[in-house]
Every structure is written in C-alpha cells, then in structure tokens.
Amino acid sequence: MARLIVKLSMRLMLALLLSLAAYAQHPQRLLTNDDVIAMVQKKLPETVIVSAIQAGPSKFNTSSNELIRLNAAGVTEKELNAMLASSGDASSSRLSSIAKDSSNSAGEPMPPSKSRMPRLTVTQGNSTQELKQEKTQLAETKTKPSSMKSLAADSAVTQGIQAGVSTATYSAASHMSSGIGGSAMQQAGGIFSGVMSHRTPTVTYVWGVPSPNSSNVLQNAKPSFAVDFSRTIAVNADEYEPAIVKLTPAQNTCRIVGATQGKEDERSTPAADWQMYSHFLEERVGSTAQKLGAGNYKILANSELAPGEYAVVLRPVSKDKKFSGGDVARAQGDGLMFDAVWTFQISEEAQ
C-alpha cells in the first residue's frame, strides 16, 4: 500500500513538472506599445489603462520616436509615465526632452519663433514637418451660399479665384487708385469688390485656394497638427482656435474653403462691424483642439480622414466676433488670421 502511494505521488509530481514546463514554453503575452494604443482608441478609462500597464508583464519601446507616436495617438501623460516606470525609465527630464524633440505632439507648445506669422507643423508616424502657410483668394458672386456644391458649380466663383487677383493686389489697387488694378478686377469677371453694381444690398463672399489639389500629400489618415499664432501682430490669440475643414473641388480649377454674405462694398470698409462668421458656410471635420497656451494648439481629427482635400484654418472662438472688411481684403490683423490656410491631401493609400 505504501509503495502504491509513493508511486502515485511521483506520478503527480511528474505531471506538475510537465505542466510547469509547458507553461514556461507559453508564457503570458507581454503588453506592448500597440496594446496601449488599442486601449486608448477603445476609450478605456485612463485609470484602467494605467493599472493594466502597472500589472504587466510588458515590453515597451520607450524611444523618443515611439513616445512621440504614442502621444500623437492620444496616450496621456499618466499613461506614458506608467510605461516609462514599467520600463525602468521614468525620469521627468526624459519626457521634457521628448517634448522638445516633437513640440507639436508631446503636449508642449511649439518652440518660440522669431516670425510673427502663424505657423503649423504636421506629424504622421515618426515624421514631423512644417507646412507652408497659404492665403485664400477672396471672390464675390450673387449666388446664395446655400451649399458648397452650388458655389463650386458657379463659374463666377471659379473664374474669380483662378484669375489670381489676390487680396494683396486688391490692397495695392485700393491704396494707389491704380487703373491696372481696376482693370485686373474687371478681367476677373467683375466679381471682386470695387466693381460690383449696386443693384443688390448684399453679395456672397467666397474663400478659395487656387489649383485643384494640394502639394502636401499625407500618407497617414489621422495626422496630428500643432499651430502657433501666439506672436501675430494686432491679434488677440485667445479669440481664435484651429479647425480642420474639408475643401470642395470646383471645376478642376480651385478648392473652396467657405463662404458668407456681406455688403457689396464690405471690403472697402475699415470699421470692424462685419459678423461674417455668424453664418459662415464650411464643411467642418470633427476634431479635438487642445489648448497648450495662448495661440498654441494641438489639433487631431476625431476619426480617420477619407481620401481628399483638407485644410487647417483659424476660426474665432465666438461666432459673434466682428471683422473689418478692409482687414480681410488686405489679410492683416484679424483678416490675416481668417485668411490663413494650410492645405493637405489625404492620399488613397493613406494608413
């Protein structure tokens, strides 16, 4: 009997050893950077994600580029700190250096610039680059701003934007009473201010970008942007915030940003009495703008962007804000802010 008990015990021990060996060959899956991003995208609470990171085991990549990618994907500072602690690299100076390496995606304002013009950078994956600021062309038409599609089909709009009579040209002509400037406006079809007849009290002003597509082609369907307009002259930075809009292609000649109505002589009026954004027509993209300081923002689309033409623009926080038509025409002060645009294209192969 005793021998039988010993024999059974040995068999049990052998079975236990075999089980342990099998478990050692198939260890618990390690938590990775992509797992954390997946939890963030599933909108799990921050406390839950931090607890999961701390519970480990894990194998996190905490290189500078990876921390930049994680932050751009929406991973919070507490979650990043938990990952660094789990990897044995939790110094605050490390996070500070990452912020400097990627000012637009690590939750810190962009580095100061000597330029007083608004600036924008885009991050896609591990790459960050500055996009050139463009300036919209301003055209006029009698078509009501009922839809972007109707404006895109209006030849007066497309001819005006394509004519290339910029706000700078308008400014020069209005200051110098130049016959050349007046001639250029008439060649644009008579749709720019200064040559409109007085048959109707209002016209539709249309903001557009010449050329059918942007040269900034992005391969990431959910890019992250950082905007700095903190040093713009004659502007209260707290009155503006960035937004992402979808552009409407118009007859393969230009892209329409938006439109509103105003007095037919609005662009020659110096008084700041035009509430042009109160009924502004544009195709907004759902996005989240994180304010990092006065005039410093990080902005990210709420979902992946479909292939097409888009732009980051600056819009007044209050729709009741009043503008000077003259400032809008000359792209100065508040007019400069509203006219500024950074266009980009999401490619068909964007991930």
Side-chain angles (χ1 to χ4, degrees):
M1 185 68 178
R3 294 179 62 185
L4 180 60
I5 292 174
V6 171
K7 197 171 186 179
L8 288 172
S9 298
M10 291 182 65
R11 287 180 178 178
L12 286 172
M13 290 180 65
L14 180 61
L16 179 60
L17 289 172
L18 290 173
S19 297
L20 290 173
Y23 179 81
Q25 292 176 358
H26 300 281
Q28 181 181 352
R29 186 174 176 275
L30 300 177
L31 200 65
T32 66
N33 293 26
D34 289 335
D35 293 326
V36 174
I37 292 175
M39 288 189 286
V40 169
Q41 292 176 342
K42 293 294 183 181
K43 301 188 182 302
L44 293 181
E46 182 185 59
T47 54
V48 173
I49 298 176
V50 170
S51 296
I53 293 171
Q54 293 172 341
S58 60
K59 186 178 181 181
F60 296 128
N61 180 347
T62 58
S63 66
S64 298
N65 286 338
E66 274 300 292
L67 289 175
I68 291 170
R69 182 175 77 93
L70 286 162
N71 189 263
V75 179
T76 67
E77 182 178 352
K78 289 183 179 179
E79 291 160 352
L80 287 172
N81 280 325
M83 294 175 68
L84 288 169
S86 178
S87 302
D89 187 7
S91 66
S92 59
S93 60
R94 175 76 189 284
L95 285 178
S96 176
S97 66
I98 299 304
K100 293 178 181 178
D101 288 341
S102 180
S103 54
N104 66 315
S105 61
E108 293 289 339
M110 292 174 65
S113 170
K114 293 182 179 180
S115 172
R116 291 189 176 272
M117 296 295 288
R119 301 167 55 228
L120 177 140
T121 59
V122 57
T123 296
Q124 47 179 338
N126 297 329
S127 174
T128 299
Q129 68 180 96
E130 184 167 349
L131 298 188
K132 181 181 178 181
Q133 178 192 331
E134 303 171 59
K135 187 173 63 176
T136 53
Q137 303 287 350
L138 187 58
E140 296 176 19
T141 178
K142 294 181 180 179
T143 300
K144 299 287 186 180
S146 56
S147 71
M148 300 289 277
K149 185 177 180 180
S150 65
L151 292 173
D154 187 342
S155 59
V157 172
T158 55
Q159 288 173 13
I161 295 174
Q162 189 66 11
V165 183
S166 67
T167 54
T169 301
Y170 175 85
S171 176
S174 62
H175 276 88
M176 300 170 60
S177 299
S178 168
I180 297 176
S183 174
M185 292 178 203
Q186 291 177 11
Q187 290 176 9
I191 62 173
F192 289 87
S193 63
V195 294
M196 291 294 294
S197 67
H198 293 276
R199 296 176 184 175
T200 56
T202 61
V203 294
T204 298
Y205 288 86
V206 184
W207 282 255
V209 186
S211 80
N213 47 60
S214 175
S215 59
N216 301 313
V217 182
L218 306 186
Q219 301 299 328
N220 189 324
K222 198 175 180 181
S224 173
F225 301 94
V227 194
D228 178 11
F229 50 91
S230 59
R231 290 171 51 83
T232 307
I233 297 176
V235 168
N236 183 348
D238 286 324
E239 292 184 348
Y240 293 89
E241 63 184 0
I244 301 175
V245 297
K246 185 172 176 59
L247 304 182
T248 301
Q251 302 179 34
N252 201 36
T253 60
C254 59
R255 291 153 290 156
I256 296 176
V257 179
T260 194
Q261 288 189 307
K263 295 181 295 184
E264 56 191 6
D265 60 348
E266 196 71 67
R267 295 209 291 180
S268 61
T269 303
D273 57 2
W274 185 15
Q275 287 183 301
M276 65 184 189
Y277 196 58
S278 60
H279 297 92
F280 197 81
L281 176 68
E282 62 186 352
E283 192 172 345
R284 277 278 192 115
V285 173
S287 59
T288 300
Q290 178 187 3
K291 187 174 183 179
L292 307 175
N296 269 287
Y297 280 84
K298 171 186 171 184
I299 183 169
L300 179 70
N302 293 338
S303 58
E304 291 187 352
L305 300 177
E309 293 288 325
Y310 299 87
V312 176
V313 294
L314 301 175
R315 294 294 181 250
V317 175
S318 170
K319 283 184 171 289
D320 294 331
K321 180 173 175 57
K322 297 180 180 180
F323 290 80
S324 160
D327 284 350
V328 173
R330 297 175 180 84
Q332 64 186 23
D334 290 316
L336 168 65
M337 297 291 284
F338 201 88
D339 290 347
V341 62
W342 294 268
T343 68
F344 62 95
Q345 177 186 156
I346 299 295
S347 75
E348 296 286 346
E349 296 78 25
Q351 300 294 316

